[in-house]
Amino acid sequence: MKPIVKKMRSDLEIMSTFNTFKQLRPHLTEEDFLEKINRLEKNNGFHLVAVLENNEVKAVAGYRITESLARGKYFYVDDLITNESSRRQGYASVIWDWLVTQAKLEGCEQLHLDSGVHRHDAHRFYLKAGLDISCHHFQMSL
């Protein structure tokens, strides 16, 4: 069966992505995951999508569409994770192509994402996919 990209909306669909999300976001807990996703959807316009093949989650992404004075209307990818057992099988490209197409369909002027400095495999993928390193992102824990 060919992989498909699906917006994950029901509680069961959202929870089916938890184990993949946990691989990138180890601080997440299963008990709070659904509540956090629902809150992000309601308050921040967050969307959760997954690549499914044979009803198995192969990759997930979280994104939102927003606007700023600096960027205009833009598509922000909060999370992009391929399940560890499914890496190097083309699923990242499947979800990436869907995200880029969706950003264009939504009339976004740009697509943005941040990636941890230690994620070298991800950086290679992003550069190959046509992204540029356009800024440094700074943070401070409070």
Side-chain angles (χ1 to χ4, degrees):
M1 177 180 242
K2 184 178 177 183
I4 61 163
V5 178
K6 180 179 180 181
K7 285 191 176 184
M8 307 302 269
R9 293 189 169 115
S10 74
D11 291 356
L12 189 60
E13 289 171 338
I14 292 167
M15 288 309 296
S16 73
T17 68
F18 175 76
N19 288 330
T20 302
F21 260 101
K22 182 91 172 151
Q23 294 168 21
L24 180 65
R25 310 281 184 225
H27 64 280
L28 294 174
T29 64
E30 196 168 6
E31 297 76 32
D32 297 335
F33 185 68
L34 182 61
E35 179 186 335
K36 285 183 185 214
I37 295 294
N38 287 330
R39 190 171 56 247
L40 287 169
E41 288 175 345
K42 180 181 175 187
N43 298 334
N44 296 12
F46 183 84
H47 300 273
L48 175 58
V49 295
V51 175
L52 302 173
E53 188 172 55
N54 299 323
N55 292 319
E56 184 180 333
V57 174
K58 300 295 186 174
V60 296
Y63 71 91
R64 53 198 154 100
I65 297 165
T66 191
E67 191 168 3
S68 72
L69 294 174
R71 297 175 175 161
K73 183 178 180 182
Y74 67 99
F75 193 97
Y76 186 81
V77 179
D78 285 282
D79 308 282
L80 179 58
I81 313 113
T82 301
N83 192 301
E84 289 173 350
S85 64
S86 301
R87 292 190 180 148
R88 302 204 191 306
Q89 297 177 36
Y91 298 113
S93 293
V94 170
I95 203 163
W96 181 257
D97 291 346
W98 187 94
L99 292 167
V100 171
T101 298
Q102 190 66 26
K104 290 176 183 177
L105 289 172
E106 294 285 350
C108 294
E109 299 171 44
Q110 299 176 359
L111 185 147
H112 289 263
L113 64 80
D114 290 326
S115 181
V117 295
H118 62 285
R119 299 193 64 231
H120 303 290
D121 288 340
H123 301 165
R124 279 189 285 279
F125 175 82
Y126 300 145
L127 292 168
K128 185 177 176 185
L131 276 79
D132 295 318
I133 301 171
S134 61
C135 69
H136 293 282
H137 177 92
F138 297 89
Q139 77 173 43
M140 175 174 55
S141 296
L142 302 174

